[in-house]
Amino acid sequence: MRKILVIGSGKSSSYLLKYLLDKSVKEELFITVGDVHLEHAEKIINGHVNARTIPLNVNDDTSRVNAIKAADIVVSMLPARFHIHVAKDCITFKKHMVTASYVSQEMQDLDEVAKHNNIILLNEIGVDPGIDHMSAMQVLNNIRENGGKIILFESFTGGLIAPESDTNLWNYKFTWNPRNVVLAGQGGAAKFLQEGTYKYIPYHRLFRRTEFLDIDGFGRFEAYANRDSLKYQSAYGLDNIKTLYRGTMRRVGFSRAWNIFVVLGMTDDSYTLEDSETMSYRDFINAFLPYHHTDSVELKLRHALKIDQDDIVWDKLVELDIFNADKKVGLKNASPAQILQKILMDKWTLAEDDRDMIVMYHKFGYELNSKKHQIDANMVVLGENQTYTAMAKTVGLPVAMVTLAILNGHITTPGVQIPITKEIYDPILKELREFGIRFKEKEVPYLGYNPLNN
């Protein structure tokens, strides 16, 4: 039996483990899952003869090293900061490694030694990053091979709630790490290229600069800019492109309402509130508003931010129960962002029978035979339930597929990799289509970044 070690068994591991278990007899695989908490993994494995769980703390050098030494390939589904420990062990004991996380500088620094040892350290093979890389590169390279010159590329992804489970005014529930949602966009201005000009959006304006996207059968979405749209410019071969923009998708109206929290300072994670543990939700909101001897918290908020009482934004705030004087924060020395996260988790946590949704949208503009053309491509994936989510499917399946492809010798290029080569994206995208993860492409008139200029 060929031994696969999966370290970490969180919410994204359900489809990953199911895929490997389904292939285990034919491919002669034995899957070991190591984690501090094994309840989720044991539920998925369900006593399968070709799998087991082991307690594994990544900070315990002995147990981590012993588990890696016994494996033929390692999948790290841990939080990103722990991958480096696993990667160094994989190089030491000559084991290939797969992760879905972004390549950190520490990881990139292992490139030469990984190549020297003929070891593959494949990262960014989830959904975003992952499927976005593969689907974009496949179309971009097809355009180039046909003689086209890329002049525009826009890419958007969103983890949202499926229409039938959309039960709140925000049209949103947490399908990923709630903390990342609360802190989204912080850490510097959003940067992108528009018609050959560098553009910047500071955090305090980020959620008021959105664009609309329409997907047949699923309606209209909005997108706000990612912090750095130019991160993959060279990797994608787009050094001379005119427009390059990457963004996050939400339902229309989310960003305008979310901007209320940004303006008030409730997404700030840089300081703590000393009396947070005893605060009510109402106290928390009031902490960001000026004193008035007669006006209520509601009236002060509406006045400060010029929100009319018949504005849907007001209804969204009320729906979150943020003015409740009886609900306690209950978090000691918490930052505003941590308190906001707790409030939102009361309302935005997936119910057991909720279905989530992953949406992705690419725009490709190019010149061919002295004419400008555009291809729009979109993907929608719906989850099954709280365990087998669309997020777990689009993260876990590419990870599992590429793990088996490396094990079978179909992917051989060593070093620190992301999935932007044909060796990786052609077979993985082809297999993903068998699981309903596919893009719909259509030719549309080229409009550039601003249709009014044309």
Side-chain angles (χ1 to χ4, degrees):
M1 302 291 282
R2 298 181 296 170
K3 301 178 183 66
I4 299 174
L5 172 64
V6 179
I7 307 178
S9 58
K11 292 180 179 180
S12 294
S13 65
S14 54
Y15 275 100
L16 162 66
L17 296 176
K18 186 178 186 303
Y19 176 93
L20 294 176
L21 292 172
D22 289 345
K23 297 279 186 179
S24 64
V25 174
K26 181 180 179 182
E27 295 285 349
E28 297 183 334
L29 308 175
F30 189 87
I31 300 98
T32 298
V33 183
D35 203 340
V36 176
H37 305 289
L38 292 165
E39 298 83 358
H40 187 252
E42 288 169 350
K43 178 182 176 183
I44 304 300
I45 289 172
N46 195 27
H48 198 289
V49 66
N50 289 337
R52 64 168 182 158
T53 62
I54 59 170
L56 197 160
N57 184 335
V58 71
N59 292 314
D60 179 353
D61 294 346
T62 301
S63 62
R64 187 186 71 242
V65 165
N66 287 339
I68 291 172
K69 284 170 67 175
D72 294 308
I73 190 168
V74 178
V75 177
S76 180
M77 298 296 285
L78 294 164
R81 65 186 181 277
F82 296 120
H83 294 322
I84 192 67
H85 305 301
V86 178
K88 289 178 178 177
D89 288 342
C90 284
I91 291 174
T92 300
F93 302 109
K94 293 182 165 45
K95 313 292 183 181
H96 301 304
M97 186 185 87
V98 178
T99 86
S101 298
Y102 287 103
V103 175
S104 65
Q105 187 56 54
E106 283 183 301
M107 185 70 72
Q108 188 60 48
D109 290 343
L110 297 178
D111 183 47
E112 286 302 319
V113 67
K115 288 176 178 175
H116 179 75
N117 285 278
N118 201 36
I119 295 301
I120 300 169
L121 301 178
L122 183 56
N123 304 264
E124 303 191 15
I125 186 66
V127 58
D128 179 0
I131 293 175
D132 58 338
H133 289 327
M134 296 187 288
S135 55
M137 287 303 294
Q138 188 173 63
V139 175
L140 290 170
N141 284 336
N142 285 343
I143 291 171
R144 292 180 184 119
E145 289 168 5
N146 289 316
K149 176 188 175 184
I150 312 295
I151 55 175
L152 176 147
F153 175 61
E154 297 182 42
S155 179
F156 311 89
T157 306
L160 299 163
I161 194 71
E164 61 268 36
S165 301
D166 188 347
T167 57
N168 66 54
L169 294 174
W170 292 75
N171 311 116
Y172 187 81
K173 293 181 183 179
F174 289 126
T175 61
W176 196 233
N177 187 339
R179 179 171 170 80
N180 291 348
V181 175
V182 173
L183 299 181
Q186 298 186 40
K191 178 174 64 173
F192 57 98
L193 267 172
Q194 179 183 331
E195 301 292 354
T197 302
Y198 288 102
K199 294 291 186 178
Y200 303 87
I201 307 176
Y203 176 65
H204 73 276
R205 292 292 300 156
L206 183 64
F207 297 97
R208 297 307 296 128
R209 294 265 297 272
T210 59
E211 64 176 271
F212 293 140
L213 302 163
D214 293 291
I215 297 180
D216 291 344
F218 291 90
R220 175 160 283 195
F221 300 83
E222 66 184 17
Y224 62 86
N226 286 357
R227 197 170 68 196
D228 185 4
S229 290
L230 310 183
K231 181 177 181 180
Y232 299 104
Q233 184 172 7
S234 293
Y236 282 20
L238 300 174
D239 288 327
N240 298 313
I241 199 166
K242 295 293 184 183
T243 295
L244 180 55
Y245 182 101
R246 292 167 61 91
T248 298
M249 295 174 70
R250 294 286 184 260
R251 283 295 189 180
V252 175
F254 178 94
S255 297
R256 186 166 75 95
W258 184 263
N259 194 58
I260 298 296
F261 299 141
V262 175
V263 171
L264 286 176
M266 293 166 59
T267 61
D268 198 324
D269 200 45
S270 65
Y271 67 95
T272 60
L273 308 181
E274 284 76 14
D275 56 345
S276 61
E277 191 171 13
T278 59
M279 270 185 169
S280 69
Y281 287 8
R282 188 178 186 85
D283 293 334
F284 175 59
I285 301 300
N286 196 33
F288 297 94
L289 299 171
Y291 171 79
H292 195 281
H293 65 288
T294 58
D295 286 354
S296 67
V297 175
E298 290 88 344
L299 191 59
K300 288 193 296 183
L301 179 57
R302 285 212 302 264
H303 178 73
L305 298 176
K306 297 179 173 59
I307 306 173
D308 293 329
Q309 63 182 14
D310 59 352
D311 190 331
I312 186 65
V313 168
W314 182 251
D315 294 332
K316 290 178 180 181
L317 296 175
V318 171
E319 183 184 67
L320 294 175
D321 208 18
I322 60 174
F323 302 111
N324 193 320
D326 298 318
K327 282 189 175 180
K328 298 296 182 182
V329 169
L331 300 174
K332 190 173 182 179
N333 294 328
S335 69
Q338 289 171 323
I339 298 172
L340 178 59
Q341 177 182 329
K342 182 180 187 299
I343 291 172
L344 296 177
M345 287 178 70
D346 288 351
K347 298 293 184 179
W348 290 358
T349 298
L350 286 179
E352 189 172 344
D353 58 349
D354 274 344
R355 301 176 69 196
D356 69 325
M357 174 173 70
I358 295 290
V359 288
M360 191 174 289
Y361 201 115
H362 299 314
K363 296 182 181 181
F364 307 89
Y366 63 99
E367 292 179 345
L368 179 65
N369 300 326
S370 301
K371 292 184 178 180
K372 292 180 179 179
H373 306 263
Q374 184 168 321
I375 296 172
D376 282 12
N378 62 67
M379 175 197 81
V380 178
V381 179
L382 299 174
E384 296 178 32
N385 52 44
Q386 195 180 42
T387 300
Y388 290 97
T389 62
M391 185 68 77
K393 187 175 187 177
T394 51
V395 172
L397 284 180
V399 169
M401 291 171 183
V402 86
T403 299
L404 189 55
I406 293 171
L407 203 55
N408 287 335
H410 299 149
I411 296 172
T412 58
T413 304
V416 176
Q417 303 282 334
I418 64 174
I420 57 174
T421 61
K422 281 190 175 184
E423 177 188 40
I424 301 172
Y425 66 67
D426 270 349
I428 301 303
L429 288 174
K430 181 180 179 181
E431 189 174 1
L432 284 172
R433 286 195 287 271
E434 298 173 15
F435 288 82
I437 301 175
R438 63 177 69 241
F439 280 80
K440 294 180 179 179
E441 297 180 13
K442 62 180 179 181
E443 295 269 356
V444 299
Y446 178 81
L447 297 176
Y449 194 86
N450 183 357
L452 297 179
N453 287 341
N454 289 272

